[in-house]
Amino acid sequence: MKKRYKITGMTCNGCRTSVESTLKKIPKVQEVAVDLETEEAIVVSKEKIPIEVFKNELPDKYTITEHIKEVHNLSEIDDDKIIGKSEYQQLFPLFLIFGYISVAAVLLNYNPWNTHNFMLDFMGLFYVVFSFFKMLDLKGFPDSFKMYDPLAKMIPIYGWIYPFIEIGLALLFLMRIEIKIALMLTIILLGITTVGVTKVLLDKKSIQCACLGTALKLPMTKATFIENTVMLVMAVWMLLN
């Protein structure tokens, strides 16, 4: 069944992510979509769950109340919600961005073609774009990131500085400075993140991917794993050659 709730006390995307994560961990809850602007949550569950259960799980700063209106079908949920969208629809922004990055890297190196420089430009542009989206909600990103990145979970400050690390790596790749160091850092950082992503996928958890920040509300899927793997393969190949 699906029910709509009003949740107050959320002030940023970090709050939204925290509320969404907390509600998803409640037994019998199958899916959750929280909207920061409307302060609404759609909860899909196997059976009716007393609102007291939600109140007990959520921190005191949040207030949850039931909406009189029931949600009878998924079409009532706005298009920007995760629930009801196909995996392709949810990940379309990610595919689009990868396409733009690939085309830009090709155009920079097609005449004459240089595979080595193509990879460096691809990785540099990758970091530029992905750090940009993280910067759109710098406060909310760390909370989403630590939900699956082992290092961000152990060292919270790491989540705050990660977007700046990406900017630094972008400059190293695009300006061809200390490439070896940039490649080793890419392998280490993305390797750690990939371990966390793999664990989430194996556990079949439904959480938000923070690869493009919190603004696009991308779900954690196999595409996230593939995205990291592509970068890791490039970094390892260039380091060995």
Side-chain angles (χ1 to χ4, degrees), residues 5 21 23 28 34 50 74 87 136 140 147-148 196-197 209 215:
Y5 297 88
S21 175
L23 295 179
K28 298 179 182 178
V34 178
L74 293 176
E87 185 172 306
L136 292 178
M147 289 176 65
Y148 61 89
V197 170
C209 176

Side-chain angles (χ1 to χ4, degrees), residues 92-102 129-130 133 212 216:
F92 178 72
L94 181 61
F95 296 144
L96 189 63
I97 289 169
F98 250 82
Y100 270 84
I101 292 174
S102 300
V129 174
F130 279 60
F133 280 99
L212 286 172
L216 295 182

Side-chain angles (χ1 to χ4, degrees), residues 6-233:
K6 181 77 172 179
I7 301 179
T8 58
M10 299 183 294
T11 58
C12 64
N13 267 311
C15 294
R16 182 194 62 76
T17 300
S18 176
V19 169
E20 205 167 74
S21 175
T22 299
L23 295 179
K24 284 179 180 178
K25 293 177 182 177
I26 296 175
K28 298 179 182 178
V29 170
Q30 296 175 304
E31 190 57 272
V32 178
V34 178
D35 191 306
L36 179 62
E37 294 182 5
T38 62
E39 297 185 320
E40 289 186 341
I42 303 296
V43 178
V44 179
S45 59
K46 295 180 180 178
E47 59 185 65
K48 186 174 182 179
I49 300 175
I51 194 170
E52 288 73 22
V53 174
F54 298 133
K55 290 180 178 179
N56 291 336
E57 293 296 326
L58 289 172
D60 294 337
K61 65 179 290 189
Y62 305 116
T63 301
I64 181 169
T65 54
E66 288 189 54
H67 262 297
I68 297 178
K69 181 181 178 182
E70 293 282 350
V71 180
H72 298 291
N73 56 67
L74 293 176
S75 63
E76 292 185 35
I77 302 172
D78 294 338
D79 289 337
D80 64 347
K81 301 294 189 301
I82 293 176
I83 299 176
K85 277 189 173 185
S86 69
E87 185 172 306
Y88 174 78
Q89 287 176 312
Q90 296 172 45
L91 295 173
F92 178 72
L94 181 61
F95 296 144
L96 189 63
I97 289 169
F98 250 82
Y100 270 84
I101 292 174
S102 300
V103 170
V106 168
L107 292 176
L108 288 171
N109 297 280
Y110 84 98
N111 189 21
W113 177 253
N114 187 309
T115 301
H116 181 78
N117 284 337
F118 163 77
M119 289 187 176
L120 291 177
D121 288 331
F122 180 93
M123 298 178 77
L125 293 171
F126 174 96
Y127 281 126
V128 167
V129 174
F130 279 60
S131 63
F132 165 77
F133 280 99
K134 292 178 178 68
M135 289 292 185
L136 292 178
D137 183 20
L138 193 56
K139 291 183 179 180
F141 168 73
D143 288 330
S144 294
F145 193 46
K146 70 181 180 183
M147 289 176 65
Y148 61 89
D149 186 275
L151 189 56
K153 189 178 296 184
M154 290 188 297
I155 309 174
I157 190 66
Y158 174 65
W160 288 94
I161 65 174
Y162 188 81
F164 299 97
I165 294 176
E166 287 193 325
I167 292 174
L169 289 172
L171 292 174
L172 293 180
F173 281 123
L174 295 175
M175 298 180 70
R176 309 297 195 259
I177 301 172
E178 299 293 347
I179 299 299
K180 188 174 182 179
I181 293 176
L183 291 172
M184 289 190 291
L185 284 175
T186 293
I187 293 171
I188 293 172
L189 299 182
L190 289 185
I192 292 172
T193 301
T194 303
V195 170
V197 170
T198 303
K199 186 176 185 305
V200 169
L201 294 176
L202 291 176
D203 292 342
K204 297 182 178 180
K205 293 181 179 178
S206 178
I207 67 171
Q208 180 175 319
C209 176
C211 55
L212 286 172
T214 60
L216 295 182
K217 303 177 185 178
L218 297 178
M220 180 69 70
T221 66
K222 294 177 183 177
T224 310
F225 175 82
I226 295 172
E227 158 209 321
N228 284 356
T229 302
V230 168
M231 288 286 286
L232 284 172
V233 169

